[in-house]
């Protein structure tokens, strides 16, 4: 400070710096570096509005704002507990450690900590107070143009005629699973996936309002029974945590859910040589009684006006060492699904909607390098035309899937099957991975899931993604598709 302010005002200037920065090292050093670069003496007037404006616009404060926004409610609520100095008893918690790394919480003695005073305290309070104003959030984009939803919007509140689905995929229960497992019990230092999803839905006022859960495959890493057991525990804990009945869980197998190296005593598939016995046991433990190749679920709206039929199609017909990651829906699967839908036609409802669930993506969602292409790593549904024809003749409006760990929404009109002249649009919603480890997430690099609102005349698709902190799910993108 001696280099940039008159000597008689050094003590006063130091107090001003401390009042604004709270002693945050990054803010303090950044301010002094800026002032040194001016090569002119700083007058007393600078410490009023100009200095505050300079700090508020600094990249460091903006970075803190952005990183707190990864879990705005959780991080700011924890930070405000330290508005006055208190013992740092929960030192090991991930959110406490993260706030300390940001400099938002600082140690005031060997055993006590305090929220960084000055502009950072103001920022934390402002973000915390704005939470209610921002939920729900998002500009939903449709063919009719953007449509703004905010905290006062009634349109995004769930009505009796709406059906709401939680769509997750690719849990990949294996050695690198990043969240706390249910059987390990509660922990302050590590959250379970169901806890994190329930917290996110609570912020959106959707606890006990989701009608069903769709899990579109890859529950395991290598189809071991212990992995399936853990996946089952997570699905059941998730249903209980968000208020969905356990018989409202829809599942289909992914390519990681078939056993490539079955024992000699295992029952093997004729086409691929793999075994699905562990997956079939997993289904039975979930209480699912239908066929694994195609299963039909029916969910009436709470108003009783709409019936939403969700049909699963197994897309692992050729999956195995000879066709790794290649999706294919067999002819028998299509025949069984057509029969189930015909048998379920019900005139008691004013509206009957149909959604399809497979594992492999119907439209490309890959982002591979040339080297990966040459190593034959490109995967997708090999007979997607057959699936689209099936969707068209059954007037399905949505296809839900997973597989690539890259969230995608594709709206397309496809030349219809010979059995139909209806040129209706089809929406393919590909979920990312809700819980794969970061090194398996590809270019998107975040865990993610979808919320789907089927309203009377449109569908709202809300993508929720894990923040860079890894501590919470939050907004990613929202879309509106009119009908």
């Amino acid at each position: 400070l001696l280099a940039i302010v008159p000597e008689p005002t050094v003590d006063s200037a130091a107090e001003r710096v401390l009042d604004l920065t709270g002693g945050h090292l990054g803010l303090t050093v950044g301010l002094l570096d800026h002032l040194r670069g001016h090569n002119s003496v700083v007058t007393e007037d600078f410490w009023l509005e100009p200095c505050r404006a300079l700090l508020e616009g600094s990249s460091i404060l903006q970075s803190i704002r952005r990183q707190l926004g990864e879990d705005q409610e959780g991080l700011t609520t924890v930070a405000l507990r330290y508005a006055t100095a208190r013992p740092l008893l929960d030192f090991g918690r991930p959110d406490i450690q993260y706030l300390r790394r940001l400099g938002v919480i600082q140690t005031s003695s060997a055993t006590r900590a305090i929220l960084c005073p000055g502009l950072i305290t103001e920022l934390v309070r402002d973000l915390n107070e704005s939470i209610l104003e921002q939920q729900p959030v998002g500009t939903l984009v449709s063919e009719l143009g953007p449509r703004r939803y905010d905290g006062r919007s009634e349109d995004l509140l769930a009505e009796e005629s709406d059906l709401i689905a939680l769509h997750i995929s690719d849990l990949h229960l294996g050695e690198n699973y990043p969240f706390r497992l249910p059987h390990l019990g509660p922990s302050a230092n590590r959250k379970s996936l169901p806890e994190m999803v329930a917290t996110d839905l609570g912020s959106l006022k959707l606890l006990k309002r989701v009608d069903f859960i769709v899990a579109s495959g890859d529950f395991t890493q290598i189809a071991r029974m212990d992995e399936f057991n853990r996946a089952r525990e997570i699905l059941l804990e998730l249903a209980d945590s968000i208020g969905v009945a356990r018989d409202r869980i829809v599942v289909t197998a992914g390519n990681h859910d078939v056993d490539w190296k079955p024992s000699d005593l295992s029952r093997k598939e004729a086409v691929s040589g793999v075994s699905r016995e562990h997956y079939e046991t997993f289904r039975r433990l979930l209480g699912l009684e239908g066929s694994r190749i195609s299963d039909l679920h029916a969910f009436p709206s709470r108003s009783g006006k709409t019936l939403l039929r969700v049909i699963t199609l197994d897309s692992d017909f050729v999956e195995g060492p000879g066709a790794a990651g290649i999706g294919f829906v067999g002819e028998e699967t299509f025949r069984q699904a057509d029969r189930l839908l015909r048998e379920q036609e019900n005139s008691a409802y004013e509206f009957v909607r149909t959604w399809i669930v497979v594992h492999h993506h119907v439209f490309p969602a890959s982002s591979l390098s040339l080297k990966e292409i040459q190593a034959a790593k490109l995967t997708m549904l090999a007979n997607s035309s057959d699936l689209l024809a099936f969707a068209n003749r059954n007037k399905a409006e949505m296809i839900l899937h997973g597989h690539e760990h890259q969230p995608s929404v594709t709206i397309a009109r496809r030349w219809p099957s010979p059995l139909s002249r209806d040129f209706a649009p089809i929406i393919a919603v590909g979920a990312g991975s809700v819980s794969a480890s970061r090194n398996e997430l590809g270019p998107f690099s975040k865990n993610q899931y979808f919320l789907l609102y089927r309203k009377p005349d449109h569908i709202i698709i809300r993508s929720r993604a894990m923040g860079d902190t890894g501590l919470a799910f939050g907004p990613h993108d929202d879309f509106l598709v009119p009908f």
Side-chain angles (χ1 to χ4, degrees):
L1 280 173
L2 280 170
I4 54 179
V5 300
E7 187 171 350
T9 64
V10 166
D11 289 343
S12 173
E15 290 177 6
R16 299 277 192 171
V17 171
L18 189 61
D19 286 344
L20 289 169
T21 66
H24 187 281
L25 184 61
L27 285 178
T28 303
V29 172
L31 173 62
L32 296 179
D33 282 347
H34 175 85
L35 295 178
R36 272 199 299 268
H38 272 264
N39 296 319
S40 59
V41 175
V42 175
T43 66
E44 184 69 19
D45 291 342
F46 171 78
W47 303 110
L48 301 175
E49 290 303 316
C51 182
R52 169 180 281 270
L54 179 66
L55 287 169
E56 287 177 342
S58 71
S59 60
I60 292 174
L61 197 65
Q62 294 305 312
S63 175
I64 293 172
R65 176 190 293 274
R66 185 177 65 255
Q67 292 179 76
L68 289 176
E70 297 281 356
D71 180 13
Q72 186 167 322
E73 182 172 10
L75 290 174
T76 59
T77 300
V78 170
L80 287 173
R81 294 179 193 154
Y82 291 85
T84 57
R86 56 176 287 180
L88 193 59
L89 300 177
D90 40 10
F91 175 83
R93 283 179 44 162
D95 47 6
I96 295 290
Q97 291 294 328
Y98 190 73
L99 290 168
R100 291 191 67 204
R101 286 198 299 272
L102 290 179
V104 172
I105 290 178
Q106 301 180 338
T107 51
S108 57
S109 70
T111 59
R112 300 175 74 82
I114 191 169
L115 173 61
C116 183
L119 290 177
I120 289 181
T121 290
E122 293 179 20
L123 173 62
V124 169
R125 292 190 188 280
D126 288 346
L127 289 174
N128 189 263
E129 291 171 1
S130 68
I131 290 168
L132 291 178
E133 300 173 5
Q134 297 180 1
Q135 297 292 348
V137 297
T139 299
L140 287 95
V141 181
S142 75
E143 295 175 3
L144 305 179
R147 181 170 175 179
R148 178 69 187 174
Y149 287 89
D150 57 37
R152 293 168 297 280
S153 173
E154 295 298 323
D155 293 334
L156 210 43
L157 298 178
E159 299 174 348
E160 292 293 292
S161 57
D162 300 339
L163 282 145
I164 299 179
L166 171 68
H167 178 203
I168 63 173
S169 195
D170 294 76
L171 277 77
H172 286 284
L173 264 295
E175 293 180 355
N176 297 321
Y177 181 73
F179 306 119
R180 179 180 63 77
L181 292 169
H183 70 281
L184 297 179
S187 169
N189 298 334
R190 198 177 182 197
K191 295 180 180 179
S192 71
L193 175 65
E195 285 177 323
M196 300 174 84
V197 173
T199 297
D200 191 36
L201 294 187
S203 74
L204 300 175
K205 300 179 177 61
L206 287 178
L207 284 179
K208 298 184 179 180
R209 185 52 189 87
V210 172
D211 293 290
F212 60 98
I213 298 170
V214 172
S216 53
D218 275 2
F219 299 97
T220 69
Q221 193 65 21
I222 53 174
R224 290 187 345 194
M225 199 60 228
D226 59 336
E227 295 175 339
F228 277 118
N229 283 331
R230 299 291 85 82
R232 171 182 169 272
E233 290 173 355
I234 288 167
L235 287 178
L236 295 181
E237 183 188 351
L238 175 61
D240 294 344
S241 297
I242 66 174
V244 173
R246 291 183 172 192
D247 61 356
R248 286 176 165 247
I249 301 174
V250 179
V251 304
T252 194
N255 58 303
H256 280 257
D257 299 324
V258 299
D259 187 356
W260 279 20
K261 299 177 180 179
S263 74
D264 293 337
L265 299 177
S266 298
R267 186 178 69 252
K268 302 176 182 66
E269 300 294 312
V271 173
S272 58
V274 302
S275 172
R276 289 180 168 83
E277 288 183 310
H278 288 165
Y279 174 70
E280 291 171 356
T281 301
F282 166 71
R283 281 180 52 88
R284 288 195 296 272
L285 290 173
L286 282 174
L288 297 170
E289 298 178 355
S291 164
R292 64 157 179 81
I293 64 170
S294 183
D295 198 8
L296 179 63
H297 304 256
F299 304 110
S301 66
R302 301 183 185 204
S303 66
K305 291 184 178 181
T306 302
L307 182 70
L308 178 54
R309 305 182 303 175
V310 181
I311 186 84
T312 65
L313 302 173
D314 181 272
S315 57
D316 285 328
F317 187 72
V318 299
E319 171 62 34
I326 300 299
F328 192 92
V329 179
E331 290 184 14
E332 176 57 29
T333 304
F334 282 127
R335 282 195 293 269
Q336 182 170 305
D338 279 324
R339 183 173 66 253
L340 289 171
L341 289 170
R342 284 196 306 271
E343 293 171 352
Q344 223 286 320
E345 289 178 356
N346 196 319
S347 59
Y349 295 91
E350 188 175 347
F351 305 103
V352 177
R353 321 287 188 193
T354 303
W355 293 4
I356 298 168
V357 180
V358 294
H359 175 66
H360 297 78
H361 52 291
V362 185
F363 301 105
S366 306
S367 181
L368 299 178
S369 66
L370 176 60
K371 184 177 180 180
E372 289 172 317
I373 293 292
Q374 292 171 326
K377 289 195 69 173
L378 181 64
T379 68
M380 68 178 301
L381 189 70
N383 62 338
S384 58
S385 291
D386 295 336
L387 178 63
L388 292 170
F390 169 84
N392 189 273
R393 67 175 176 265
N394 287 290
K395 294 183 170 53
E397 58 188 21
M398 297 260 281
I399 300 173
L400 310 184
H401 64 84
H403 188 50
E404 276 288 348
H405 303 180
Q406 304 301 301
S408 61
V409 176
T410 304
I411 305 172
R413 283 181 169 86
R414 181 83 170 200
W415 191 336
S417 69
L419 300 179
S420 170
R421 302 305 300 169
D422 183 10
F423 207 45
I426 187 74
I427 309 164
V429 178
S433 170
V434 73
S435 61
S437 59
R438 184 158 295 212
N439 64 332
E440 297 174 336
L441 290 176
F444 183 66
S445 77
K446 295 182 179 181
N447 296 120
Q448 182 269 352
Y449 73 89
F450 280 112
L451 286 167
L452 311 169
Y453 299 59
R454 195 7 167 143
K455 289 180 167 288
D457 62 350
H458 63 281
I459 291 177
I460 294 172
I461 303 170
R462 309 197 72 188
S463 176
R464 311 295 292 178
M466 183 71 71
D468 291 333
T469 65
L471 298 175
F473 287 97
H476 170 221
D477 258 323
D478 304 309
F479 306 91
L480 183 149
V481 184
F483 280 87

